[in-house]
């Protein structure tokens, strides 16, 4: 099986200067990037759904269980990121442990996650922008916030067809422009929006705490209805499955490895630190939310936080929450686009994709052409395809990547036990095995159409690999050259 050696990856990681990504990120930047993508609009909706339908006030326990499940994978990511600080995340790790074909599968899988995710979040961002501006009597023509395949009914009963979702396109272009100017600029922008977003979450916790009604916590674990997953301890576990997807995103930190200063130290801090910060905020958020309103009030509600805020005198918090969702979506788009371009960068450097995806801007040292290609592709989806077709950002790609990373730790510990590991995953093989089991359970709990979409996408990817990637693989061609001329000096 064709694998990339750890030694070769370390050589790539040590390269600096022209034609390489600039190392400009510190531990704080990495934590902010992780928090930026983890805290999205899902926190403001999934918390209420899990409380109302599954766990009741014990949704806080669901958050803890979900965080522990994520921690198994996060610890494995941290070992790889410190040992092999190269862009590409799970794609690169799979290349070193499972081989080129598995690396391609993961890389192509991450393309689906990041691209479809960015387009979907862009469309949702547009919808929340309309709601936010409406509160200030600023109204965007409905034709300019809907795709051509959608229609909207006005207050007078008139039905108008959409032309283009202009705000969704504009936010994709705006974030791309920020990314092209450099990772440091993107990181600074991300720190600003994350600070504002976290500020709203903390404001909700701090202001809402004094209006908590202890009676809403009785009973803390509602009695099971007789159906698995509806309250009781099974409900807490089912709730953990629901809120698990709120945590997904820390893996994108690993795509920034080649742009990180002192990655052996800072990558584990970024990955584990962002997960820890979000876990604490999520537990407190869920506690306050279920304390302000009885969990039954969140049933069938698309805006459970608004229900909780109605039990306080701070009605302005409703506007602030919409603003936080807008900011949250903005940072998610930023990190999705960053992660996507860095995976493409690594795949292109390996010859599996055209060189345009690894060409760096002469001034900013960023894969600007790749950013522009992705911007055009994703903005077309965001502007002209309905959100029902684009679909919600699937988590199956991330979970598959988690499985591969945990499996990679097990394989590499056996194959190369003496490789220097600045950070070591504790309790191996227990932690990786638990990570694999947890992620597989989550994957098999996803609906059939998600699996069908994944399989179709992977089949397209296999076609591209066999007709282009396999023929142009840099590592494969080097090995062929060595076989033909064993005394030749290859470019390693």
């Amino acid at each position: 099986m064709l694998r990339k050696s750890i030694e070769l990856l370390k050589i790539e990681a040590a390269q600096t200067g022209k034609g390489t990504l600039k190392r400009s990120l510190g531990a704080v930047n990495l934590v902010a990037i992780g928090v930026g993508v983890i805290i999205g609009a899902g926190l403001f909706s999934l918390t209420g759904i899990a409380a109302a339908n599954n766990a009741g006030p014990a949704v806080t326990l669901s958050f803890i269980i979900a965080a522990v499940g994520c921690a198994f994978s996060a610890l494995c990511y941290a070992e790889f990121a410190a040992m092999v600080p190269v862009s590409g995340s799970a794609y690169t790790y799979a290349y070193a442990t499972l081989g080129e074909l598995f690396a391609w599968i993961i890389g192509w899988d991450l393309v689906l996650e990041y691209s479809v995710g960015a387009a979907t979040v862009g469309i949702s961002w547009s919808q929340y922008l309309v709601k936010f501006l409406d509160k200030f009597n600023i109204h965007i023509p409905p034709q300019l916030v809907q795709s051509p395949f959608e229609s909207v009914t006005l207050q007078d009963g008139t039905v108008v067809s959409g032309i283009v979702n202009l705000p969704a396109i504009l936010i994709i272009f705006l974030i791309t422009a920020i990314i092209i100017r450099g990772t440091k600029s993107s990181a600074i922008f991300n720190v600003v929006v994350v600070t504002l977003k976290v500020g709203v979450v903390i404001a909700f916790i701090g202001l809402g705490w004094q209006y908590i009604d202890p009676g809403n916590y009785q009973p803390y674990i509602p009695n099971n209805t007789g159906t698995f997953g509806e309250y009781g301890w099974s409900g807490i576990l089912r709730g953990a499955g629901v809120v698990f997807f709120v945590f997904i995103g820390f893996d994108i930190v690993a795509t920034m490895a080649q742009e990180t200063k002192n990655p052996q130290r800072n990558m584990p801090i970024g990955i584990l630190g962002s997960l820890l910060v979000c876990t604490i905020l999520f537990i407190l958020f869920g506690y306050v939310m279920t304390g302000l309103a009885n969990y039954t009030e969140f049933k069938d509600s698309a805006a459970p936080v608004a229900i909780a805020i109605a039990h306080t005198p701070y009605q302005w918090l409703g506007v602030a929450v919409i603003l936080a969702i807008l900011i949250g979506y903005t940072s998610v788009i930023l990190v999705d686009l960053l992660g996507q371009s860095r995976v493409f960068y690594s795949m292109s450097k390996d010859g599996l994709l055209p060189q345009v995806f690894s060409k760096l801007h002469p001034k900013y040292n960023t894969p600007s052409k790749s950013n522009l290609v992705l911007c055009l592709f994703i903005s077309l989806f965001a502007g002209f395809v309905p959100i029902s077709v684009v679909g919600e950002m699937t988590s199956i790609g991330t979970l598959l990547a988690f499985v591969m990373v945990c499996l990679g730790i097990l394989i590499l510990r056996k194959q190369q036990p003496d490789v220097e590991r600045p950070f070591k995953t504790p309790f191996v093989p227990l932690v990786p095995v638990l990570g694999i089991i947890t992620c597989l359970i989550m994957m098999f709990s996803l609906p059939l159409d998600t699996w069908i979409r994944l399989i179709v996408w992977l089949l397209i990817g296999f076609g591209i690999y066999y007709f282009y990637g396999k023929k142009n693989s840099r590592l494969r061609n080097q090995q062929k050259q060595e076989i033909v001329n064993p005394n030749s000096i290859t470019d390693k």
Side-chain angles (χ1 to χ4, degrees), residues 4-300:
K4 207 175 207 182
S5 68
I6 296 295
E7 291 73 21
L8 181 57
L9 288 173
K10 288 185 175 181
I11 291 173
E12 291 180 9
Q15 292 176 349
T16 58
K18 187 176 181 180
T20 61
L21 296 170
K22 186 177 180 180
R23 294 195 182 276
S24 58
L25 302 177
V28 174
N29 299 130
L30 294 174
V31 172
I33 287 173
V35 172
V37 73
I38 296 173
I39 300 184
L43 174 64
F44 301 99
S45 58
L46 290 180
T47 306
I49 292 171
N53 300 325
N54 308 114
V59 69
T60 50
L61 298 180
S62 297
F63 274 121
I64 293 173
I65 293 171
V68 170
C70 275
F72 296 140
S73 299
L75 288 167
C76 294
Y77 265 95
E79 176 172 324
F80 267 126
M83 182 172 58
V84 190
V86 181
S87 289
S89 184
Y91 159 78
T92 301
Y93 310 151
Y95 214 149
T97 55
L98 302 173
E100 184 175 275
L101 180 59
F102 281 99
W104 171 266
I105 293 172
I106 291 299
W108 190 247
D109 188 45
L110 292 175
V111 172
L112 175 68
E113 177 198 347
Y114 296 154
S115 296
V116 174
T120 305
V121 174
I123 296 170
S124 296
W125 185 92
S126 175
Q127 294 174 350
Y128 276 103
L129 178 67
V130 171
K131 292 181 181 179
F132 182 74
L133 294 178
D134 282 346
K135 292 183 178 294
F136 299 94
N137 292 318
I138 301 173
H139 307 291
I140 301 176
Q143 297 93 330
L144 299 181
V145 291
Q146 302 287 338
S147 80
F149 305 98
E150 293 176 299
S151 60
V152 60
T153 304
L154 304 180
Q155 290 184 345
D156 61 2
T158 305
V159 178
V160 296
S161 296
I163 299 174
V164 61
N165 194 330
L166 191 59
I169 291 178
L170 292 177
I171 190 61
I172 298 294
F173 271 87
L174 174 63
I175 298 301
T176 298
I178 293 171
I179 291 172
I180 287 175
R181 287 191 60 85
T183 307
K184 186 173 183 180
S185 299
S186 304
I188 293 172
F189 174 80
N190 189 60
V191 168
V192 173
V193 298
V194 168
T195 300
L196 293 172
K197 178 169 56 176
V198 172
V200 172
V201 173
I202 292 175
F204 174 80
I205 294 170
L207 295 175
W209 196 281
Q210 56 188 318
Y211 295 98
I212 287 176
D213 179 3
N216 289 327
Y217 297 128
Q218 303 300 326
Y220 186 67
I221 303 177
N223 293 327
N224 182 261
T225 61
T227 302
F228 183 90
E230 292 183 6
Y231 313 120
W233 280 102
S234 68
I236 293 173
L237 293 174
R238 177 66 61 82
V242 173
V243 301
F244 178 88
F245 303 111
V246 177
F247 286 94
I248 288 176
F250 66 83
D251 60 305
I252 294 182
V253 175
T255 67
M256 302 288 106
Q258 210 160 340
E259 296 158 270
T260 300
K261 296 179 289 188
N262 192 7
Q264 289 78 9
R265 169 186 176 271
N266 290 333
M267 288 306 298
I269 293 175
I271 293 171
L272 299 174
S274 58
L275 184 61
L276 177 62
V277 169
C278 291
T279 299
I280 294 171
L281 287 176
F282 290 176
I283 292 171
L284 294 174
F285 187 90
Y287 180 80
V288 171
M289 188 171 154
T290 53
L292 290 174
N294 190 277
Y295 68 93
T296 56
E297 295 183 51
F298 303 135
K299 201 82 171 178
D300 301 321

Side-chain angles (χ1 to χ4, degrees), residues 69 72-73 76 402-403 406 430-440:
F72 296 140
S73 299
C76 294
F402 285 3
V403 170
C406 292
L430 178 62
V431 167
V433 168
L434 290 175
I436 292 170
I437 293 173
T438 302
C439 293
L440 286 177

